[in-house]
Amino acid sequence: MNLLIIAPCLLSPFYVYRGAKEKEYETARMLRKLLGELGEEWQVFAYPCPEFELVGWPRPPMGMESFERLGMREKANVIADFIGRVLTEEKPEKVVFLGVKGSPTCGVFHTTSNDPDSYDYGLIPAFFYMTKEKRLEESRKVVEGFGFRIREGLGILFEELMRRFPEGVYVEFDKDDVEDSVRRLGEALGLGVTLSELKGEHMETER
């Protein structure tokens, strides 16, 4: 067995903190098609969303420092224990971890930072009662108003995963660059499939 361990919001966009936008729908569509190319030797493991487990949904944008203050390290350890138990029992030959660029928990090479002292934690219950349109609007204001920035570094969960499972292959999915992300994941999975092929555009050329 080979195992692809994937951040759940990549397959199910409704986990995204503010609600799904078009880039989340496109990511999910392309990943479903790519995973359809996998052979029988592959299994897919979508672990529980750590941010949902800790804060619920919907929720405002938060950087990794604010999540740390709320206790995310403990939640990440629980999820890493779950993943470790599966790996111990199933003993896969190859393991690919797929995270999300800029995620405070699931970032592989890039995470999101903020100042936990200036952040307004009262936004957490406030977001629960907002409509999707209001959340999208307010999310932009929160990111701009509290000085969020994407920086190089691991998200909280992936920091723990890399520490425990350094032998895994780690891939970061950029929802703002689906084509390159699909290419890199396809290479990690041993698939030579392009985004154009997944969209069916090669069929038009062949005709």
Side-chain angles (χ1 to χ4, degrees), residues 55-163:
V55 181
W57 187 91
R59 55 192 178 273
M62 280 188 279
M64 66 174 296
E65 293 85 357
S66 286
F67 273 118
E68 281 185 308
R69 183 159 295 184
L70 293 172
M72 182 58 80
R73 291 281 173 189
E74 291 78 6
K75 189 64 65 176
N77 282 330
V78 171
I79 294 172
D81 286 344
F82 175 27
I83 292 172
R85 179 70 178 266
V86 171
L87 295 179
T88 298
E89 293 184 354
E90 302 299 333
K91 298 178 176 60
E93 294 182 16
K94 181 176 182 178
V95 181
V96 175
F97 292 89
L98 182 62
V100 185
K101 182 178 181 179
S103 170
T105 54
C106 302
V108 184
F109 305 115
H110 301 85
T111 189
T112 296
S113 285
N114 74 307
D115 178 2
D117 293 323
S118 65
Y119 187 77
D120 180 5
Y121 295 91
L123 291 166
I124 297 173
F127 259 65
F128 183 82
Y129 295 100
M130 293 180 189
T131 64
K132 182 176 182 179
E133 292 74 19
K134 183 66 172 175
R135 293 197 306 271
L136 294 177
E137 177 185 345
E138 291 300 315
S139 291
R140 289 191 295 270
K141 294 179 182 178
V142 172
V143 169
E144 294 169 1
F146 290 100
F148 282 63
R149 65 183 182 92
I150 293 180
R151 63 169 177 82
E152 291 185 359
L154 294 159
I156 296 170
L157 174 61
F158 270 71
E159 183 178 313
E160 184 63 23
L161 295 178
M162 279 197 179
R163 186 185 67 80

